[in-house]
Amino acid sequence: MELIFQLLDCDYVLVNNLPVIRLFGKTKEGESVCAFYENFLPYFYILSEDDEKVIDILKSKFQNEILKIETVEKFLPIGFNQNKSRLLKITLKDPSTTPVIREFLRNISFVKDIFEADILFKYRFMNDLNVFGMRWIKVIGKSIPTTTVKVNKCIKVEKIEEVNIVENVNFKYISIDIEVSAEKGIPDSNKDPIIIISLSFYPAYKGNNTLILFSKPFKFGYDTLGFKSEKDMLSKFLEIFDEFDPDIIVGYNINNFDIPYINDRLRILKLPKNLGRCSQKPIISRKIGTNKFRNTVVGRIIVDPYLIIRDMVKRGFFRGLKRFGLGDVSKHILGEEKLDVSHSEITKYWNGHEQEVKKLIDYARKDSELALKLLMEKNFLDKYIGISLVSGLLLQDSLDSGESSKIENLLLKEFNKEGYVIPCKPTDNEIKKREEEREEKGLKGAFVLEPKIGLHNKCVVYLDFASMYPSIYIGYNICPTTLVIEKVENIEVNKTLANTIFVSNKVKQGLIPKIVKGLIEERNKVKAVMEKERDVAKKRALDAKQEALKRISNAFYGYMGFIRARLYVLDIANTITSYGRYYIKRTKEIIETETKYKVIYGDTDSLMIETDVTDVEEAFKIGQEISQLITNKLGGILKLKIENVFKSLLILTKKRYAGWSFEKTESEWEEDIIMKGIETVRRDWCDLVSQTLEEILQIILKEQNPQKALSYLKNIIQKLQNNQIPLEKLVITKGVSKRLEEYKGVQPHVELVKKMKKRDISSAPGVGDRVGFVIIKGLQLISERAEDPEYVKQRGLKIDSKYYIEAQLLPPLERVFEAMKISKSEIIGMGKQLLLFDAFKNNEKIKKEEILTDIDGFICNKCDKIFRRVPLIGKCPDCSGEILFYSHETKSRYLSL
Ligand code: TTP
Ligand code: MG
Ligand code: MN
Ligand code: MN
């Protein structure tokens, strides 16, 4: 029989003390399948000073564990070698004994090194048989019956080969959301039962898109099922799960909450714990941090949109999203609202009358629907499937693991293919040695050019090198396998800027350059498709995918300098960055000597060049000419490309700027406000701050009118003082993440909750809830003046405008205006200025005395200490120096208003 399927998961089990690999997948026809591969055994390598002695010891100590010892010839991974080395290859029976033998060998003095003794067995297999996660394979073998796995078809593998199919199978998705009734605080799985399980399906299950199970014997509607106990409900859940047989398990925050919770409840209620495609292997829920879990379900993949979205926001997607609750996220990304029930209300409704229970059920229904919608409508999985296809990792690992797993799998594949072995992960001792070396040699990073701060009204072109670090790897053939450590004769080598030496690629092409080249080519393909894509969601998915490929190819640089890497070569990391620094400086020099333009900023591999035109099209042409000039001059290793044109650009400091960007696509200019290092949304800001900052940047960049921006801000400040800003815009939100007693120090939202509890214990927010508050006028500390907006409205309380001006509005806005040389006193006006604390201008040299027309405050003429108001004693309390006015960088005895 022959089966062609897409590989979803892989694991192994022991049968008669020998491992059997299981490949789980799905066919085009939608059947779930499992292929069993026998006779694949774990192995690793030893480099020793005396092979005979090693063999003797192993034979006497591990007679039962070791199946075979043979000598093989392999290239060692670090340092250029013309010849292979003799290694011992140890083949074992049970993968789990590998670490035991490995650790034993580490203490043997004549064992010089051990290789590949810590590769996960499934990846050992997948690597050796050239099997990739999410790719399609053809398996030839005998059909076998089996009771251990829950799939449509099983096969015993005789032959396995890759098949080139690009499409994905039609996955079956189940989305899960549970509700728990907790007395108080964070639910405790030891005692708090699950009361509702909301399920959404794709495709529909028995005609239902959703199904809500709940543990009360009520009847509500066609898609709800009431049970008399939690146990009955969970049994039904398991039954539905098996019958539907999903490939993908979805849920919002499912990894850290729902799965571990369900797992615990199943255990406590003594129900079977297998949600996977194997009746013997339960869910494995490993705790990896406080409230953080890594879960495995055999044969299926768990996907948590919460983790995906959080990661995307970190990388600059979904700008403006600041809270990660399902409600906020759905509203921002899908434009869809979630029904609102706070954590503390759940138990109340659940214990209430039928209509309240009904309300809770509708709320739960929406949650599983939204999680599924987020994942499917936004094509979030595409990127991770892409990562699996190129790195070879299983989809679950592409979702869960960091950059280094991806890199290591690529390294293992490529190195083994070329006859090289890969080192084990470093021991604690090795790490210590690396740290010492690092201490001594250092790892120098990228170069940042000094920025020309301020508003630039002429077009600025943004140039950036294409795939800089990867190109340096390729251009100089940089790799551990080409690094010359021992002297070589009669071989063509290149000495680098960092004084490292690599053999030329005519002698031997480096393996990392080869891998990286493959990744860049793949990325360029994705980018080309992306640029043609018109569908916004698909385009964004492609963008995420090309970004992931870029990240993997760039991560080879970081990996070489990562203390826990298998292949750690500090000299290589340093070589890469020295070229990076060299090229950006050299480029600036060429531009400023050979063209009439100035470089106004640059970071790592990007340069901003101020043109003398205001027309975007003309600026683009200038940018193209400069890029071409540089690409030609630099001799073929790097390519400078034009990314976009800024019609106006405001630079605040290094790494902080905002610009009105125009990017050329196939047919038109795409226009956007781009911000780097300037956040317009932050969790601890109220909406007024975000909106004002956003608006002001718009006025500055699009109208290029700083004075208008200034009046806009002054107007807002005035409105604040006159109580004309709607209260909603002043609400600051914070979550209660633990019990109130556990908070140390005084925090506004915690103090408020305490107050609210005293007023009405039943409606006060509880653990897990978010609290919105405003700061009101009063004499106590600010943290004691947080108040519930509703309460403020009812009682007609006054908000503390000074707090909103000084602590919310001004800090971000002052920086913006300062870059345009508009001082704080111009923003606030003189009288008020004296009330403000000030950012000390870190004792910058104060210029010559002149008559000031406004002031920032007072300063001691002797020690330069700055004061908000004249000290009561009339002179400096520290050094008795004379007190003067000061403004910006000037101090003076004279003030004329
Ligand atoms: P980028 O210009 O962002 O990346 P790039 O030049 O590789 O790709 P592109 O074609 O999109 O311009 O960054 C410049 C270099 O900085 C990059 O080659 C490697 C390094 N870098 C990292 O090491 N880690 C990172 O996360 C990023 C973004 C860059
Ligand atoms: Mg799984
Ligand atoms: Mn670049
Ligand atoms: Mn860059």
Side-chain angles (χ1 to χ4, degrees), residues 20 54 57 83 225 261 303 392 428 584 608 625 637 815 823:
V20 176
V54 175
I57 290 190
N83 302 312
L225 284 175
Y261 208 95
V303 186
D428 290 349
I584 190 172
M608 294 185 183
E625 278 161 26
I637 286 179
R815 263 182 278 164
S823 71

Side-chain angles (χ1 to χ4, degrees), residues 506-565:
K506 282 174 241 148
V507 178
K508 170 177 180 52
Q509 190 192 15
L511 301 185
I512 292 183
K514 193 172 156 197
I515 301 173
V516 160
K517 207 166 170 182
L519 291 169
I520 296 179
E521 278 163 11
E522 181 64 25
R523 177 188 175 208
N524 289 341
K525 266 190 230 156
V526 177
K527 267 180 100 166
V529 180
M530 173 184 99
E531 264 145 40
K532 295 209 179 76
E533 180 61 65
R534 292 271 66 96
D535 180 280
V536 180
K538 284 195 188 131
K539 195 177 179 122
R540 187 178 297 137
L542 287 165
D543 194 16
K545 186 166 161 190
Q546 71 82 16
E547 204 254 356
L549 287 166
K550 164 177 167 174
R551 242 195 301 151
I552 300 175
S553 61
N554 278 341
F556 278 90
Y557 150 70
Y559 187 77
M560 286 288 131
F562 169 50
I563 288 272
R564 295 177 183 278

Side-chain angles (χ1 to χ4, degrees), residues 2-6 28 130 134-139 160-167 389:
E2 175 184 300
L3 279 179
I4 296 176
F5 62 89
Q6 190 172 19
K28 231 182 211 151
N130 200 31
M134 294 315 279
R135 289 200 192 178
W136 289 77
I137 48 180
K138 178 158 99 183
V139 167
I160 197 167
E161 57 195 55
E162 194 177 316
V163 188
N164 193 13
I165 301 180
V166 281
E167 304 94 86
L389 293 175

Side-chain angles (χ1 to χ4, degrees), residues 159-202:
K159 205 168 153 226
I160 197 167
E161 57 195 55
E162 194 177 316
V163 188
N164 193 13
I165 301 180
V166 281
E167 304 94 86
N168 293 316
V169 286
N170 293 320
F171 300 119
K172 281 175 123 181
Y173 298 80
I174 191 167
S175 175
I176 306 176
D177 181 61
I178 61 168
E179 298 306 331
V180 172
S181 163
E183 292 266 295
K184 60 170 189 227
I186 294 171
D188 173 359
S189 59
N190 284 314
K191 56 180 180 51
D192 300 325
I194 299 173
I195 52 175
I196 300 174
I197 304 175
S198 162
L199 302 172
S200 288
F201 305 91
Y202 184 87

Side-chain angles (χ1 to χ4, degrees), residues 421 595 735 753:
V421 289
T595 76
V753 175

Side-chain angles (χ1 to χ4, degrees), residues 119-298:
I119 311 284
L120 284 180
F121 190 55
K122 61 183 178 188
Y123 283 119
R124 174 84 276 167
F125 169 83
M126 287 170 68
N127 174 62
D128 290 13
L129 279 102
N130 200 31
V131 170
F132 284 64
M134 294 315 279
R135 289 200 192 178
W136 289 77
I137 48 180
K138 178 158 99 183
V139 167
I140 299 165
K142 279 198 187 62
S143 163
I144 45 165
T146 173
T147 47
T148 56
V149 286
K150 301 187 272 188
V151 293
N152 303 123
K153 274 183 185 154
C154 284
I155 185 168
K156 192 170 142 187
V157 183
E158 277 154 21
K159 205 168 153 226
I160 197 167
E161 57 195 55
E162 194 177 316
V163 188
N164 193 13
I165 301 180
V166 281
E167 304 94 86
N168 293 316
V169 286
N170 293 320
F171 300 119
K172 281 175 123 181
Y173 298 80
I174 191 167
S175 175
I176 306 176
D177 181 61
I178 61 168
E179 298 306 331
V180 172
S181 163
E183 292 266 295
K184 60 170 189 227
I186 294 171
D188 173 359
S189 59
N190 284 314
K191 56 180 180 51
D192 300 325
I194 299 173
I195 52 175
I196 300 174
I197 304 175
S198 162
L199 302 172
S200 288
F201 305 91
Y202 184 87
Y205 164 73
K206 292 186 172 168
N208 280 316
N209 291 317
T210 53
L211 205 51
I212 323 296
L213 318 185
F214 61 101
S215 64
K216 280 221 166 158
F218 296 152
K219 277 213 159 58
F220 288 127
Y222 68 97
D223 71 346
T224 62
L225 284 175
F227 296 87
K228 62 179 196 305
S229 72
E230 183 195 13
K231 187 165 180 173
D232 286 358
M233 174 179 72
L234 277 166
S235 302
K236 183 69 183 178
F237 165 68
L238 292 175
E239 193 188 310
I240 293 171
F241 203 92
D242 271 354
E243 212 179 302
F244 182 66
D245 188 24
D247 304 299
I248 314 273
I249 306 169
V250 194
Y252 202 78
N253 202 21
I254 190 173
N255 264 315
N256 296 331
F257 183 67
D258 303 64
I259 293 277
Y261 208 95
I262 292 174
N263 193 34
D264 285 349
R265 292 308 293 169
L266 289 175
R267 175 173 46 78
I268 288 164
L269 297 169
K270 302 203 168 52
L271 286 165
K273 292 205 304 163
N274 50 64
L275 290 184
R277 283 177 162 144
C278 167
S279 25
Q280 282 142 6
K281 257 197 191 172
I283 312 172
I284 299 168
S285 198
R286 232 166 11 103
K287 208 170 164 136
I288 53 166
T290 30
N291 302 326
K292 263 182 145 179
F293 295 82
R294 173 118 348 127
N295 309 295
T296 1
V297 168
V298 181

Side-chain angles (χ1 to χ4, degrees), residues 179 195-196 212 214 218 220 224 338-342 345-346 348-350 352-367:
E179 298 306 331
I195 52 175
I196 300 174
I212 323 296
F214 61 101
F218 296 152
F220 288 127
T224 62
K338 179 180 129 91
L339 303 176
D340 211 20
V341 179
S342 78
E345 280 171 320
I346 291 177
K348 204 173 84 188
Y349 284 134
W350 183 246
H353 49 74
E354 217 172 299
Q355 275 318 300
E356 283 181 313
V357 175
K358 172 89 172 25
K359 186 169 172 192
L360 203 53
I361 281 168
D362 291 335
Y363 157 81
R365 176 186 292 114
K366 194 78 190 175
D367 280 9

